[in-house]
Amino acid sequence: MRFLFKTSYEQDIRLVEHSGQSFWYGLLGLAAISAPLWAGDYALSQLSFMLVYAIAGLGLMVLSGYTGLASIGHAAFLGVGAYTEAVLAARGWPFPVSMAFAALLSAAVGVVVGLPALRVKGIYLSIATLSFGFIVEEVLARWESVTKGNAGLSVVKPQFFGLDLGSSTAFYFIALGTCAVVTLGVMNLLRSSTGRAFIAIRDSEISAQSMGIHLAGYKTLSFALSAAIVGLAGALYAHKLSFISPDQFGIAQSIDLLLLVVVGGLGSVHGAFFGAVFLIAMPQGIAVAKDWLPPAIGQATGLQAVVYGLVLMGFVLFEPMGLYGRWLKVRTWLQLFPFYRKGMFKRQKSYTKSERLK
């Protein structure tokens, strides 16, 4: 059992709470770096997809998890980043420059969406972002001179001053490095006054405004940062798929991203990674389960959508903190073993619930 005694403000905002966390994060980083040595091509490809989705999840987490602004159209920013990267790469732009430009253009589009969205919130904001997603998908389909329309667009392999970065191992390390940079950036953002302003807006807009926080400015900034990170993920996504079309950035992709942050754990950096693992592993699990289910169920169309819907409803009803919340409970049980007793946090939980319902 470990007790943490915090005696200064710096202890409260540092990245890792104690040396034990540093050890486990270091071990996880070592396993990630050595993945090409022990993982096959297919597993390495799945890990790359997982990292790309984790980056997109971190972007949506900044907006929905930490600022409290719901969005059902974030696949549009993924599409803007992917098409920007594909078009610029075809024109011979260096890979880091085209990626940075994809993130900047996505951020600019995020500002354009964020400004009118300031006048609405809740379900109305969700509908506004959903409409934006439909608009972007339609633009990608109709702007055939640039996007090739519904026929789709081939994406050239990433290159940097003649160096081919298209191999699975090279792309994995690019995704891993980008994910590490974005994760550290988001964690440091949350420790800053800007991140605390985002959280204050999420918890209570009236209280945040009374403390002098400029709601319009911080909400727009949150939209821009979120869109930039998701656009960065879109650039990597385009290279990973090698071929993109407008239907890959529609409502289904937006629902997947929403599922990622809700199932992973809304309002936590860890939740983006848990959600990415879930999003990659769930289709594999469903494919295996089909062989064990009755043919009437296993061969039914739309089985994956039904399972996703049930999982989402289950987490919303029974575990609002997602997989990260479940992991916290398991960790607490391990830390308190053998002194843990069933219902020992019942009083604390009921107090928290009553405070939330006031």
Side-chain angles (χ1 to χ4, degrees), residues 281-291 293 298 303-308:
M282 181 55 80
Q284 315 290 336
I286 293 174
V288 172
K290 278 183 177 179
D291 299 333
L293 292 172
L303 176 64
Q304 182 170 321
V306 172
V307 173
Y308 275 24

Side-chain angles (χ1 to χ4, degrees), residues 23-72:
F23 170 76
W24 288 112
Y25 286 141
L27 200 63
L28 183 62
L30 192 61
I33 292 173
S34 62
L37 299 177
W38 49 264
D41 287 342
Y42 178 74
L44 202 61
S45 175
Q46 295 299 92
L47 286 174
S48 299
F49 271 122
M50 208 175 289
L51 291 169
V52 172
Y53 274 117
I55 296 170
L58 286 169
L60 185 55
M61 197 71 80
V62 169
L63 184 71
S64 299
Y66 289 105
T67 317
L69 302 175
S71 172
I72 319 180

Side-chain angles (χ1 to χ4, degrees), residues 73-318:
H74 250 53
F77 299 119
L78 198 71
V80 171
Y83 270 93
T84 305
E85 172 65 26
V87 171
L88 296 182
R91 285 165 171 69
W93 284 42
F95 180 57
V97 179
S98 58
M99 273 188 67
F101 194 82
L104 287 175
L105 185 60
S106 300
V109 176
V111 172
V112 173
V113 178
L115 286 175
L118 296 176
R119 301 178 67 85
V120 294
K121 59 182 178 181
I123 185 66
Y124 301 103
L125 178 60
S126 302
I127 294 172
T129 53
L130 178 65
S131 305
F132 167 70
F134 285 133
I135 291 171
V136 170
E137 186 181 359
E138 196 64 23
V139 169
L140 294 177
R142 300 287 181 185
W143 199 2
E144 295 184 0
S145 60
V146 176
T147 65
K148 306 297 182 187
N150 289 318
L153 187 64
S154 297
V155 184
V156 300
K157 292 182 178 180
Q159 290 189 348
F160 185 57
F161 292 115
L163 182 63
D164 185 12
L165 303 175
S167 67
S168 58
T169 302
F171 184 83
Y172 170 76
F173 280 118
I174 291 171
L176 181 63
T178 307
C179 187
V181 170
V182 171
T183 303
L184 289 174
V186 171
M187 291 176 71
N188 279 291
L189 171 71
L190 298 174
R191 299 162 66 209
S192 68
S193 59
T194 302
R196 291 178 179 272
F198 288 167
I199 296 171
I201 293 172
R202 178 196 64 186
D203 293 344
S204 173
E205 288 191 9
I206 296 175
S207 300
Q209 197 168 20
S210 66
M211 287 188 294
I213 294 174
H214 193 273
L215 294 184
Y218 279 104
K219 283 184 177 181
T220 307
L221 180 61
S222 178
F223 257 104
L225 288 174
S226 175
I229 296 172
V230 176
L232 200 62
L236 293 172
Y237 189 69
H239 281 298
K240 185 58 189 167
L241 291 179
S242 301
F243 179 84
I244 54 176
S245 59
D247 59 339
Q248 294 169 329
F249 307 101
I251 180 64
Q253 186 70 269
S254 293
I255 296 297
D256 281 351
L257 292 178
L258 190 64
L259 191 73
L260 187 156
V261 295
V262 172
V263 173
L266 204 58
S268 72
V269 173
H270 296 79
F273 290 89
F274 281 113
V277 173
F278 168 82
L279 209 60
I280 297 298
M282 181 55 80
Q284 315 290 336
I286 293 174
V288 172
K290 278 183 177 179
D291 299 333
W292 300 86
L293 292 172
I297 300 176
Q299 304 301 324
T301 56
L303 176 64
Q304 182 170 321
V306 172
V307 173
Y308 275 24
L310 291 175
V311 169
L312 185 60
M313 287 175 59
F315 272 100
V316 170
L317 290 174
F318 302 110

